[in-house]
Amino acid sequence: MSLKYRVIPVTPFEQNCTLLWCTETHKAAVVDPGGDLDRVRAAAKAEGVTLEKILLTHAHIDHAGGTAELAKSEELPIEGPHKEDNFWIQGLAMQAQMFGFPAPEVFTPNRWLEDGDTVTVGNETLEVLHTPGHTPGHVVFFHRASKLAQVGDVLFNGSIGRTDFPKGDYNTLIHSIREKLFPLGDDVNFICGHGSMSTFGQERATNPFVSDHRG
């Protein structure tokens, strides 16, 4: 397979930061560097890959808290999330205070992402889907060739993302899952922001919030 990945749980929230890399070029992206950057750097070294960018699904602190530090120390561009999450980036210090994290630097992504955009990792291309509901600017990264999706906190194995944060919305989230993610195919594996991987087919069949049998 031309795109490989390694999941690196970071922060007390056990957030699934992911190292994605192209096997041809050995260039890698770090998806959602929430913190514990030494673990991220060690994983990149162990896999023998060169970091080329940071990709963000959304800007909650457990996903974005290490972004500014990693971007600065490794000289990496930041791509994502959608600009609707800018208020979460601007509020990183407040988030840190609320959840007992060290206060991170505020940053501006080099590129805000829109629905239908693409991002590259080495020679590999991932599609960008704007999937609001958990946060208004949440995006998902989909690698069609290997049927792998990086879904952040939109969907989990057996659950869905919280919608009780500012500008979260339950109905919007359900719509994002059913209309944006499930049509990608039952055989798509996904890495979620917390917990174990699953497939869209498994969630369609059994997830109590979004299964085909619900209601």
Side-chain angles (χ1 to χ4, degrees), residues 51-124:
L51 301 181
E52 70 166 346
K53 67 180 62 175
I54 294 167
L55 299 175
L56 292 181
T57 63
H58 65 297
H60 282 162
I61 191 161
D62 54 323
H63 291 255
T67 302
E69 186 186 334
L70 186 64
K72 192 174 284 185
S73 68
E74 308 298 323
E75 298 183 342
L76 304 176
I78 303 161
E79 299 186 12
H82 184 282
K83 60 183 175 292
E84 286 293 325
D85 259 24
N86 189 39
F87 80 102
W88 278 118
I89 297 175
Q90 300 307 317
L92 278 168
M94 183 190 68
Q95 292 188 62
Q97 209 170 7
M98 280 173 63
F99 296 109
F101 279 69
E105 273 186 65
V106 169
F107 58 90
T108 301
N110 298 80
R111 180 187 175 202
W112 297 106
L113 296 174
E114 301 276 349
D115 193 66
D117 281 350
T118 58
V119 295
T120 57
V121 179
N123 294 336
E124 297 301 309

Side-chain angles (χ1 to χ4, degrees), residues 144-164:
R144 194 171 289 271
S146 59
K147 296 185 175 177
L148 178 73
Q150 186 92 31
V151 304
D153 285 356
V154 173
L155 181 66
F156 299 111
N157 186 336
S159 189
I160 59 172
R162 290 175 60 171
T163 56
D164 57 339

